[in-house]
């Protein structure tokens, strides 16, 4: 008999390095392995399980829809996806929404919208999109091209043409690119998640927005990871006071079910026309019912709790023994330890908490409703482990 882990190695494409834990079930911010060992979940499925594991009310909302209709196709009207789009528009000022199934797909849509807008408003040679070095926008060939990190590009070339890379927090680098190239958009994350949980400077983000006005280009914000309450506002651009033209989101939107959305604002709402884009599963009723429930739970009370919990983590870890710096926004937090991060992560797991890594940092992405006492317990463990392994 092969062990479960051997079978995973044998049958699953070898793309992921896994921790030596088999998650079997969970409740809220507790997860349990097959031997019923308990852990405090600090990554919530990489910012996906917004309300934690197997939340009762969420499960009921999903089950109610599951009993009615699991899928219709986009050839018919379907209530859950319209209701979800309406909620998103009302809470963001977006005008129209396109639904897909993942972050990469949301970004593919954003990129197509930007190019269509460029062709329609400036000319088809205005296809270039400026993204940032150290960004992450997805794994498809085009979203890899958008991703400003060479390590992801190697051996996948030629990638989709037309992406130029500026430097985060260097406004000059963006203006040079805008001036010297025919561009339709600047696309960026406001907190570079995979890049090491780095929040853009407020002045830089506002500056890019002003440059987009000046050079008549779109501002596209990738909120795949920062979105859906994680920043302490529904979308991180609301923390920065920006007025984007396109916003993509996914991860936490479905609370654990696959859904991505590309939101279009005033300048871009009429760019997509019949047959220019599509997705078979896009707007799936189960995923939409799930997202409606998640958004309804992300109310002002939950958002202020996110801010409070964030402040607690920053205040407690900033300047603590063995901790060099704390970065990020809301409940998207990077911790630079003086000691080896891989060793520290392993010790954290041994002590029953599950953070993850981003570059050379410990990364925390807990469920937004993680109880304060669990967060306190987890942060204490991080503090202790960082100090013992500095
Ligand atoms: C995770 C992520 C993506 C890709 O999302 P998938 O659902 O894995 O395709 C894109 N952009 C950002 C900022 C992300 O964090």
């Amino acid at each position: 008999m092969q062990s479960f882990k051997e079978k995973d190695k044998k049958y699953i494409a070898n793309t992921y390095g896994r921790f030596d834990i088999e998650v079997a079930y969970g409740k809220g911010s507790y997860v349990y392995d097959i031997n019923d060992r308990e852990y405090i979940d600090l990554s919530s499925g990489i910012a996906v399980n917004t309300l934690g594991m197997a939340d009762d009310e969420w499960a009921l909302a999903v089950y109610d829809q599951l009993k009615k209709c699991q899928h219709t196709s986009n050839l018919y009207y379907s209530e859950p996806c319209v209701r979800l789009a309406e909620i998103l528009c009302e809470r963001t000022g977006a005008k129209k929404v396109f639904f897909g199934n993942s972050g990469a797909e949301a970004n593919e849509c954003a990129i197509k919208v930007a190019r269509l807008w460029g062709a329609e408003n400036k000319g088809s040679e205005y296809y270039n999109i400026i993204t940032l070095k150290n960004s992450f926008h997805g794994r498809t060939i085009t979203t890899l091209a958008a991703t400003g990190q060479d390590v992801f590009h190697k051996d996948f070339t030629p990638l989709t043409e037309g992406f130029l890379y500026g430097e985060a927090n260097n406004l000059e680098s963006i203006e040079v690119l805008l001036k010297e190239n025919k561009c339709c958009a600047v696309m960026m994350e406001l907190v570079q998640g995979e890049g090491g949980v780095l929040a853009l400077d407020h002045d830089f983000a506002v500056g890019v927005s002003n440059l987009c006005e000046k050079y008549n280009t779109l501002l596209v914000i990738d909120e795949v990871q920062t979105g859906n309450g994680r920043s302490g506002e529904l979308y991180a651009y609301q923390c920065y006071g920006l007025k984007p033209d396109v916003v993509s989101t996914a991860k936490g939107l479905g609370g654990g079910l696959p859904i991505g959305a590309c939101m279009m604002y005033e300048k871009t709402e009429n760019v997509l026309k019949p047959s220019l884009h599509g997705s078979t599963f896009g707007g799936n009723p189960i995923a939409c019912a799930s997202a409606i429930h998640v958004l309804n739970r992300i109310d002002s009370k939950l958002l202020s709790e996110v801010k409070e919990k964030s402040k607690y983590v920053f205040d407690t870890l900033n300047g603590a023994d063995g901790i060099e710096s704390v970065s990020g926004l809301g409940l998207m937090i990077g911790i630079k330890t003086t000691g080896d991060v891989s060793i520290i992560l392993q010790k954290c797991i041994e002590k029953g908490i599950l953070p993850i890594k981003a570059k050379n940092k410990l990364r925390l992405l807990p469920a937004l409703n993680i109880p304060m006492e669990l967060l306190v317990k987890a942060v204490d463990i991080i503090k202790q482990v960082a100090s013992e392994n500095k």
Side-chain angles (χ1 to χ4, degrees):
M1 248 284 277
Q2 280 170 321
S3 78
F4 186 85
K5 281 172 202 161
E6 282 164 352
K7 283 193 183 175
D8 184 296
K9 288 228 160 20
K10 180 168 179 196
Y11 292 113
I12 304 286
N14 187 26
T15 57
Y16 302 108
R18 299 197 202 277
F19 293 112
D20 194 15
I21 297 171
E22 189 189 333
V23 173
Y25 60 101
K27 199 75 202 164
S29 284
Y30 282 120
V31 296
Y32 301 86
D33 70 9
I34 39 167
N35 304 311
D36 300 324
R37 164 125 208 246
E38 184 178 276
Y39 297 91
I40 299 174
D41 185 7
L42 296 176
S43 74
S44 56
I46 317 186
V48 165
N49 296 332
T50 306
L51 305 172
M53 280 277 196
D55 180 89
D56 287 326
E57 285 174 52
W58 167 80
L60 275 180
V62 171
Y63 186 52
D64 275 349
Q65 181 58 43
L66 189 56
K67 285 184 294 183
K68 278 189 228 160
C69 163
Q70 81 275 31
H71 181 76
T72 56
S73 90
N74 284 304
L75 301 176
Y76 305 104
Y77 290 99
S78 161
E79 196 195 340
C81 94
V82 181
R83 274 174 49 218
L84 176 58
E86 183 181 25
I87 294 170
L88 283 170
C89 288
E90 281 178 351
R91 291 185 67 176
T92 63
K95 300 292 181 195
K96 286 197 165 48
V97 187
F98 179 88
F99 291 115
N101 311 282
S102 67
E105 218 183 320
N107 283 339
E108 287 274 349
C109 180
I111 291 163
K112 284 177 80 171
V113 166
R115 286 201 168 167
L116 281 169
W117 178 87
E120 205 169 274
N121 293 278
K122 302 177 80 175
S124 57
E125 68 279 24
Y126 283 79
Y127 55 75
N128 289 297
I129 297 175
I130 298 168
T131 63
L132 299 181
K133 289 174 189 166
N134 197 47
S135 58
F136 183 81
H137 297 293
R139 300 282 192 167
T140 62
I141 289 290
T142 297
T143 55
L144 272 183
T147 295
Q149 301 190 56
D150 291 341
V151 283
F152 288 102
H153 294 175
K154 195 178 167 300
D155 296 337
F156 292 115
T157 52
L159 299 174
T160 305
E161 276 178 55
F163 289 92
L164 306 161
Y165 313 105
E167 268 170 48
N169 301 326
N170 178 346
L171 207 52
E172 176 71 25
S173 78
I174 307 295
E175 180 146 26
V176 168
L177 290 174
L178 279 168
K179 210 183 285 179
E180 294 179 353
N181 300 278
K182 294 182 160 63
C183 298
C184 59
V186 179
M187 174 174 174
M188 60 191 193
E189 304 153 90
L190 291 168
V191 183
Q192 295 187 328
E194 303 308 306
V197 204
L198 298 166
L200 295 185
D201 291 345
H202 183 270
D203 289 351
F204 172 77
V206 172
V208 170
S209 173
N210 292 336
L211 286 178
C212 285
E213 287 281 319
K214 180 172 167 190
Y215 290 89
N216 189 27
T217 48
L218 297 179
L219 178 62
V220 179
I221 305 292
D222 178 346
E223 297 244 20
V224 171
Q225 194 164 154
T226 53
N228 313 298
R230 187 143 297 277
S231 67
E233 297 293 340
L234 188 56
Y235 291 98
Y237 78 81
Q238 296 164 325
C239 301
Y240 282 80
L242 300 179
K243 281 183 160 271
D245 301 302
V246 181
V247 171
S248 58
T249 191
K251 289 194 167 88
L253 179 60
L257 294 189
I259 183 167
C262 176
M263 296 187 266
M264 288 147 280
Y265 294 69
E266 243 150 60
K267 276 190 208 164
T268 51
E269 68 168 316
N270 295 317
V271 166
L272 288 177
K273 295 178 178 65
S275 83
L276 287 181
H277 199 42
S279 168
T280 299
F281 284 113
N284 169 275
I286 311 288
C288 288
S290 172
I292 290 168
H293 182 82
V294 168
L295 287 177
N296 286 339
R297 293 273 293 275
I298 306 174
D299 54 10
S300 54
K301 181 166 170 286
L302 185 61
L303 290 173
S304 65
E305 281 173 30
V306 168
K307 287 181 198 140
E308 251 169 65
K309 290 171 195 168
S310 174
K311 185 171 182 319
Y312 174 79
V313 177
F314 274 86
D315 288 352
T316 311
L317 293 181
N318 249 328
D321 193 32
I323 289 173
E324 204 174 292
S325 61
V326 188
S327 64
L329 187 65
L331 286 177
M332 186 171 172
I333 298 171
I335 303 161
K336 179 98 177 63
T337 52
T338 57
D340 185 302
V341 66
S342 297
I343 293 170
I344 289 170
L345 178 52
Q346 196 49 46
K347 304 250 174 188
C348 282
I349 293 172
E350 282 162 24
K351 288 184 183 292
I353 62 171
L354 298 179
I356 54 174
K357 268 201 318 190
K359 291 274 159 78
N360 58 352
K361 287 179 185 163
L362 219 52
R363 175 165 44 155
L364 310 186
L365 297 160
L368 303 188
N369 61 354
I370 185 174
M372 193 61 187
E373 61 273 21
L374 281 194
L375 190 64
V376 168
K377 203 168 147 191
V379 169
D380 277 351
I381 292 172
I382 292 170
K383 227 173 129 173
Q384 184 197 344
V385 171
S387 161
E388 284 169 3
N389 298 276
K390 56 184 169 178

